[in-house]
Amino acid sequence: MHELIRDITLCILFAWMLGLLAHFSRQPLILAYLIAGFCIGPFGAGWVKSQESISVISELGLIFMLFMIGLEIDLKKIVRAGKVILFAAGGQLLGGCLLGILFFAALGLSLGGGHFDALYLCIACALSSTVIIVKVLYEKRELDTLPGRITLGVLVLQDIFAILFLAVQPSLANLQIGVILLSIGRVAVLVAAALLVSRYVLPRLFHQIARRPELILLGALAWCFLVAETAEQLSLSREMGALIAGVSLSTFPYALDVTAKVTTLRDFFITLFFVALGMTIPVPGLSVIGLALMIAAFTVVSRLVTTFAPLYLMKQGLRASLLPAINLAQISEFSLVVIQTGVADHHIAAETANAASFAFVVLAVLSTFVMTRSDEITRWAIGPLKRIGLRDLDHGHAEEGHEGGHGEARRIVILGFFRAASALLAEIERQAPVLLEQITVIDFNPNVYRTLLSRGLHVIYGDISSADTLLHAGIGKSEMIILSVPDALLKGASNEKLIRHVRTLNPNALIVATADLLSDVAELYAAGASYVTVTRLSDAHELFTAIEAAQAGLLADKRAELDARLGERREVLP
């Protein structure tokens, strides 16, 4: 026991020190934890040698990690997932696994006889890193963009796929239909029981202790370990049970509260898991490094092929098909979980598992770098893709002379289309519908493009940050240019740069722009804007009128008036 406490102390101390280095060098923290484990483990300095300590630390971290992954799987979002996400995820997962089996089997990795190296690697390479993707997309403010929503939707369905694999994983050595059905049946029974208890029993218990944070935390942990131990008794695994415990609470009325309470504890044990995983990684030989590089290369290439192809075939355009493929091009933390379950059951060789861990590290670093520059990479790639014959969304309309295609811009041009532009068009439709015939919208969101075309509006598919797009759109003859997308959401440009581009092409146009900060207003006017809106001022006015209405006892009337106005609107982006 004393040795275990000492080992945990070393794990946390080195994870913190290397985590600080990773933070200041802008590298993934998971990479720091793996290196910390290697440094103090049997293959490094040898300060932690006890295999029992490593096993206990790893299993505790794994249970908590899967519990939190389950908590973050929103079943309602999966049900509401659009066909684009379903087809994209299906194509990526099925295509990735098929290519993976062929590729790794061709490399000579085992696929039977109790050893399933090729199978585990193809599953591991089919999953992408939720931690890395969400962190980078959040920092880039792209979670709510179309490529961001597609990426997150695919991630959720990847998690479901991994759950299904974990359900049959214990039976791989005796892979018969009856055994598989029995495993799935046990999972179904456990899931059903967990959902029923979380729906009808736990809410009442948690309601009684809602004001006692320590009891909410303790209740969540008790539920996690209860379901985990029940899974172990059903010949599944504690890890599988922890995942089911989390999923069953994901739609729980107190799920947000539980997540908030467990997050700190989760981070502690997840850190332990990755440090313990790092302890198991030996100094790599040339064969391990070679296999790791091939795994990494296969992951990137297969992700680009299997994600881009279904999105492109569903007519999402080159940009919206490329960005999710770039975002998803790494190996998941969940992949390491899958690999470790295979190692524990002696399904996969230690050398193969080590190569997968090294590939994860390589891709964690590279994908973080690439994702931060995904817009520039996409913009660079679109030209060559068009030259080899791939058509973008505007191609057919440009050839046919369709009124919604490229063609000269009209009197009023809206550059970029997000929520403010959507609200503006709805307001024009309500108050001055004739004005719609004088408006052109330029944007590269395929959903916006198709919706506006279907409504009979003049829309040009293109990247407004490109000077060529503005030139070919013919905005030099337009009378008014509207920039309603804030800088934080613009890709490859800013409102100031766009104003300067537009002013160069059209010295006489009236330019209405949007400022994020009060300090931006003067800069936008200096760049050539005719008028600058500051959305916080209109927001503040609306909030102040709500306060006045509340003080006068008229807030219900104000809400009824707003509800009536909202009911009349047909916005492109709800």
Side-chain angles (χ1 to χ4, degrees):
M1 175 58 73
H2 292 296
E3 188 174 293
L4 177 61
I5 293 174
R6 182 187 69 86
D7 292 344
I8 290 176
T9 301
L10 286 170
C11 289
I12 296 302
L13 180 62
F14 273 79
W16 180 64
M17 290 191 298
L18 289 175
L20 288 176
L21 288 176
H23 171 73
F24 291 121
S25 60
R26 300 182 65 82
Q27 296 301 318
L29 288 177
I30 293 171
L31 174 61
Y33 301 154
L34 289 170
I35 295 174
F38 173 79
C39 290
I40 64 176
F43 302 102
W47 293 331
V48 177
K49 298 179 181 178
S50 170
Q51 291 301 317
E52 187 178 350
S53 288
I54 295 171
S55 176
V56 170
I57 292 170
S58 178
E59 186 169 10
L60 276 173
L62 194 51
I63 286 172
F64 270 93
M65 182 175 175
L66 288 172
F67 179 56
M68 293 305 297
I69 287 175
L71 272 175
E72 292 165 4
I73 293 175
D74 192 333
L75 296 176
K76 293 179 181 177
K77 285 186 178 179
I78 295 172
V79 172
R80 294 196 301 262
K83 64 177 183 178
V84 170
I85 292 175
L86 291 174
F87 276 100
Q92 184 263 308
L93 289 167
L94 295 177
C97 287
L98 178 61
L99 291 175
I101 287 289
L102 295 174
F103 179 77
F104 293 119
L107 290 180
L109 295 174
S110 55
L111 191 59
H115 298 284
F116 304 96
D117 297 57
L119 177 62
Y120 274 90
L121 283 183
C122 88
I123 298 295
C125 292
L127 307 177
S128 304
S129 172
T130 302
V131 172
I132 293 172
I133 290 171
V134 171
K135 179 178 181 293
V136 176
L137 291 185
Y138 175 79
E139 290 176 350
K140 293 180 68 182
R141 300 193 182 187
E142 291 184 8
L143 286 171
D144 198 32
T145 62
L146 177 65
R149 289 196 299 273
I150 292 173
T151 301
L152 295 180
V154 172
L155 282 174
V156 171
L157 292 170
Q158 284 181 354
D159 288 342
I160 299 298
F161 174 76
I163 292 171
L164 294 175
F165 177 75
L166 288 178
V168 301
Q169 179 266 337
S171 308
L172 283 178
N174 185 25
L175 205 57
Q176 301 173 5
I177 295 297
V179 175
I180 293 174
L181 291 178
L182 181 60
S183 296
I184 294 175
R186 288 170 179 163
V187 173
V189 168
L190 187 58
V191 169
L195 288 174
L196 286 172
V197 173
S198 69
R199 175 74 181 272
Y200 297 107
V201 178
L202 293 183
R204 296 180 182 179
L205 290 175
F206 275 76
H207 179 71
Q208 298 299 321
I209 61 173
R211 297 184 180 181
R212 302 294 297 273
E214 65 274 19
L215 286 180
I216 286 186
L217 173 60
L218 195 59
L221 297 182
W223 175 247
C224 170
F225 283 101
L226 173 64
V227 180
E229 196 57 37
T230 303
E232 181 74 11
Q233 298 304 315
L234 290 173
S235 301
L236 295 169
S237 67
R238 290 188 180 93
E239 291 81 6
M240 183 72 188
L243 190 63
I244 292 171
V247 172
S248 67
L249 289 185
S250 64
T251 55
F252 182 58
Y254 296 92
L256 187 61
D257 201 25
V258 168
T259 304
K261 298 290 188 300
V262 179
T263 295
T264 303
L265 203 57
R266 172 208 63 180
D267 293 341
F268 174 74
F269 281 102
I270 286 178
T271 300
L272 289 182
F273 168 72
F274 284 110
V275 173
L277 182 61
M279 293 181 201
T280 65
I281 301 175
V283 177
L286 289 177
S287 61
V288 171
I289 293 175
L291 181 57
L293 293 177
M294 284 190 282
I295 292 171
F298 169 77
T299 300
V300 173
V301 173
S302 67
R303 197 75 87 249
L304 289 173
V305 172
T306 60
T307 305
F308 174 82
L311 287 171
Y312 180 75
L313 292 174
M314 293 192 73
K315 299 183 179 179
Q316 294 303 299
L318 292 176
R319 183 180 184 275
S321 300
L322 276 171
L323 282 174
I326 293 172
N327 292 340
L328 293 163
Q330 71 285 121
I331 293 176
S332 172
E333 311 79 33
F334 213 155
S335 300
L336 301 183
V337 172
V338 170
I339 293 290
Q340 286 306 301
T341 58
V343 171
D345 289 338
H346 307 289
H347 289 167
I348 180 172
E351 184 178 276
T352 306
N354 293 334
S357 298
F358 278 109
F360 169 84
V361 171
V362 170
L363 290 176
V365 176
L366 290 180
S367 68
T368 302
F369 176 80
V370 170
M371 282 180 67
T372 56
R373 293 158 179 79
S374 59
D375 293 300
E376 299 97 294
I377 293 170
T378 303
R379 205 170 285 116
W380 170 84
I382 285 176
L385 289 174
K386 285 184 174 179
R387 284 194 288 275
I388 65 173
L390 293 181
R391 298 178 175 181
D392 216 341
L393 290 183
D394 57 340
H395 184 87
H397 295 296
E399 281 188 345
E400 298 163 16
H402 192 288
E403 65 173 359
H406 275 311
E408 196 168 282
R410 296 179 178 176
R411 192 171 69 88
I412 301 172
V413 178
I414 299 176
L415 288 185
F417 196 93
F418 203 57
R419 293 197 180 99
S422 176
L424 172 63
L425 281 189
E427 196 66 22
I428 291 173
E429 186 177 41
R430 190 174 71 88
Q431 297 199 40
V434 177
L435 195 60
L436 293 175
E437 299 175 1
Q438 304 175 42
I439 293 176
T440 293
V441 174
I442 305 178
D443 194 73
F444 51 36
N445 184 323
N447 291 345
V448 166
Y449 180 72
R450 280 191 290 268
T451 303
L452 292 177
L453 275 181
S454 68
R455 294 189 182 184
L457 280 115
H458 187 256
V459 53
I460 295 174
Y461 181 85
D463 182 358
I464 62 172
S465 68
S466 167
D468 287 339
T469 297
L470 303 182
L471 179 64
H472 293 310
I475 66 168
K477 298 179 181 178
S478 299
E479 297 176 17
M480 177 178 285
I481 315 293
I482 298 174
L483 309 173
S484 63
V485 181
D487 283 345
L489 297 174
L490 285 172
K491 303 301 169 191
S494 64
N495 276 285
E496 181 184 356
K497 289 180 180 178
L498 285 174
I499 291 169
R500 295 189 188 279
H501 277 317
V502 170
R503 190 53 77 201
T504 301
L505 296 171
N506 191 333
N508 301 316
L510 298 174
I511 302 176
V512 178
T514 299
D516 288 346
L517 306 174
L518 297 179
S519 57
D520 292 340
V521 175
E523 294 177 2
L524 296 182
Y525 279 127
S530 307
Y531 183 77
V532 178
T533 66
V534 185
T535 52
R536 67 165 72 174
L537 299 182
S538 55
D539 291 344
H541 175 73
E542 183 66 21
L543 290 170
F544 183 72
T545 59
I547 293 173
E548 285 187 319
Q551 289 178 332
L554 300 174
L555 194 58
D557 295 338
K558 184 173 178 61
R559 174 179 171 176
E561 179 186 343
L562 179 60
D563 288 344
R565 286 171 55 195
L566 292 175
E568 297 173 359
R569 303 177 78 84
R570 285 197 317 144
E571 290 215 19
V572 175
L573 299 175

